[in-house]
Amino acid sequence: MHLPSHRRWLPVSFFAAFSVLPIALANEPGLSPKEVVRRYSHTVACQIYGSTSGYQQYATVELEPAHSKYPSGAWLVGWTGDLGCMGGNGTLGLQINLVSQNGFSNRTVSPVVIDSRPMPDLAMNGLRDLSFKDGVVTIRGTTGRAKFGTYQEVTARYRWNGMWTGGDQPRFERLP
């Protein structure tokens, strides 16, 4: 059976029309953990400002380095913002996100936020410093507000138990 010419070219023209459209990726390859969290934070919070004198924004520490044979890695990224856009006095808070690269190289997919609240009982409203040494994460920050006389410099320390702890053991446990 012989098809009219427009019917023969319809599938080819349909394919050609859609083959020039840009590819939309859910996870843009090549982003750093810091950039992944920066983009994530702007979808879940507002009142996110840049670093200021004495305060950090999007501070990043590497918990597990990338393995040379397969894609991996784990990072913590700290930032301050109004999570959920509550928009009131005292709604800015320190957020710590656990970011991981698993299974695919960074050229294929970027790392992802796998835990938005990995630190139990962390309550700060400003980030001074985030560091990791000998399996311990140290977070220096602030609580309260100077104009109310409640401002304090505080430090919290957490032991990193690893990405895949198994059972009921948390990834982080608070240290005294």
Side-chain angles (χ1 to χ4, degrees), residues 33-64:
K34 177 180 179 176
E35 180 60 17
V36 167
V37 172
R38 189 192 70 75
R39 291 180 182 197
Y40 166 80
S41 68
H42 285 276
T43 67
V44 297
C46 40
Q47 293 182 309
I48 300 169
Y49 308 110
S51 297
T52 59
S53 179
Y55 290 93
Q56 295 186 26
Q57 189 67 293
Y58 303 112
T60 305
V61 295
E62 183 179 61
L63 301 173
E64 293 183 7

Side-chain angles (χ1 to χ4, degrees), residues 107-169:
R107 292 183 315 256
T108 307
V109 296
S110 291
V112 295
V113 174
I114 62 165
D115 194 343
S116 61
R117 297 189 57 87
M119 307 301 210
D121 306 318
L122 180 64
M124 295 183 190
N125 59 7
L127 178 61
R128 295 278 196 195
D129 187 49
L130 178 64
S131 62
F132 180 67
K133 183 178 180 185
D134 297 328
V136 175
V137 174
T138 302
I139 306 163
R140 286 189 326 102
T142 58
T143 62
R145 295 173 73 182
K147 76 178 189 179
F148 297 125
T150 58
Y151 177 85
Q152 288 184 318
E153 298 270 341
V154 292
T155 300
R157 298 174 58 235
Y158 292 85
R159 175 156 320 282
W160 166 243
N161 293 319
M163 182 65 72
W164 311 110
T165 58
D168 292 335
Q169 185 180 14

Side-chain angles (χ1 to χ4, degrees), residues 72-95:
S72 62
W75 303 265
L76 279 179
V77 181
W79 56 279
T80 303
D82 182 357
L83 187 64
C85 298
M86 299 301 188
N89 286 332
T91 58
L92 288 180
L94 174 60
Q95 311 299 321

Side-chain angles (χ1 to χ4, degrees), residues 89-102:
N89 286 332
T91 58
L92 288 180
L94 174 60
Q95 311 299 321
I96 302 285
N97 299 144
L98 179 59
V99 179
S100 175
Q101 180 81 43
N102 285 320

